[in-house]
Amino acid sequence: MSKKRTQKIDKVVSLAASEERRFGEITGRSQQTLNEQLLRLGELNAYRQGYAAKRPSPTGVSAVHWRDYQNFLGRLDTAVSSQQQIIRDCEQNLEVHRNRWLQKRQKLESLERVLEKSRQQDAAYESRLEQKMLDDLPRSELFRSDGEDG
C-alpha cells in the first residue's frame, strides 16, 4: 500500500495520544481536587463533633454564651453543608472529565487499530513486492543469458 498513508495515520495517532494524555491529566487533577475536598469535609465534621461534644450545660452558662455556642454550631453546620455541595460539584466535574477522557481513550484505541492494520497492509505489500522481484529474477537472468549467447 502506501507508507505515506501509514505515516499520516501515525501522526494522527500521535496527536490523539497527546490529547488523550492531556485529558487523563485533567481527570487526575479533578480526582485530586475531590480527594482534597473530602479531606476538608472530614476535618470539618471532626471539628464539629468535637465542638458539639464540649456542649456546655444550658443551665450552667449565661444566655449570651449559650446563644454564641448555638450560633457557632450553626455556622459549622452551614460550613459542612457548603462543603458537601462543593464535593457534589467536584464529583460532577470529575464525572464529566472522566467521560471525556474515556471518549478520547476509545478514539485513540480505534486509531491505533487502524494504524496497525495499515502497517500490516504495508508489510503485506512489501512482501508481495519482494516475492514478485524474486520470482522475476530467474526470468530476467534467463533472458540475459539467452541474449549473451547469440
Side-chain angles (χ1 to χ4, degrees), residues 114-126:
V114 169
L115 177 61
E116 183 57 33
K117 185 175 180 179
S118 182
R119 285 181 176 159
Q120 289 172 354
Q121 289 172 344
D122 285 352
Y125 175 77
E126 291 290 327

Side-chain angles (χ1 to χ4, degrees), residues 48-140:
R48 194 225 178 268
Q49 287 173 347
Y51 191 77
K54 296 177 186 174
R55 179 182 185 142
S57 168
T59 57
V61 295
S62 69
V64 171
H65 183 71
W66 178 250
R67 189 183 66 234
D68 288 345
Y69 173 82
Q70 293 291 21
N71 285 339
F72 187 69
L73 206 52
R75 286 196 299 270
L76 284 175
D77 289 338
T78 300
V80 166
S81 179
S82 295
Q83 188 64 25
Q84 289 169 336
Q85 182 59 50
I86 289 170
I87 288 171
R88 284 190 292 276
D89 293 344
C90 285
E91 288 170 339
Q92 289 174 349
N93 192 27
L94 175 59
E95 190 63 26
V96 166
H97 286 126
R98 183 178 286 137
N99 286 336
R100 285 182 185 158
W101 171 74
L102 286 172
Q103 288 173 349
K104 298 298 179 184
R105 182 76 203 136
Q106 290 170 346
K107 178 181 176 183
L108 175 60
E109 289 171 352
S110 294
L111 288 169
E112 286 173 336
R113 285 191 296 272
V114 169
L115 177 61
E116 183 57 33
K117 185 175 180 179
S118 182
R119 285 181 176 159
Q120 289 172 354
Q121 289 172 344
D122 285 352
Y125 175 77
E126 291 290 327
S127 179
R128 284 191 308 270
L129 192 61
E130 184 178 320
Q131 186 62 45
K132 185 176 187 252
M133 287 182 359
L134 289 174
D135 291 346
D136 290 346
L137 187 62
R139 274 186 264 164
S140 66

Side-chain angles (χ1 to χ4, degrees), residues 27-43 83 86-88 90-91 94 98:
T27 302
R29 285 193 298 272
S30 292
Q31 180 67 58
Q32 184 178 4
T33 299
L34 174 60
N35 292 344
E36 290 168 359
Q37 297 305 321
L38 286 168
L39 281 173
R40 286 189 183 128
L41 178 61
E43 292 168 353
Q83 188 64 25
I86 289 170
I87 288 171
R88 284 190 292 276
C90 285
E91 288 170 339
L94 175 59
R98 183 178 286 137

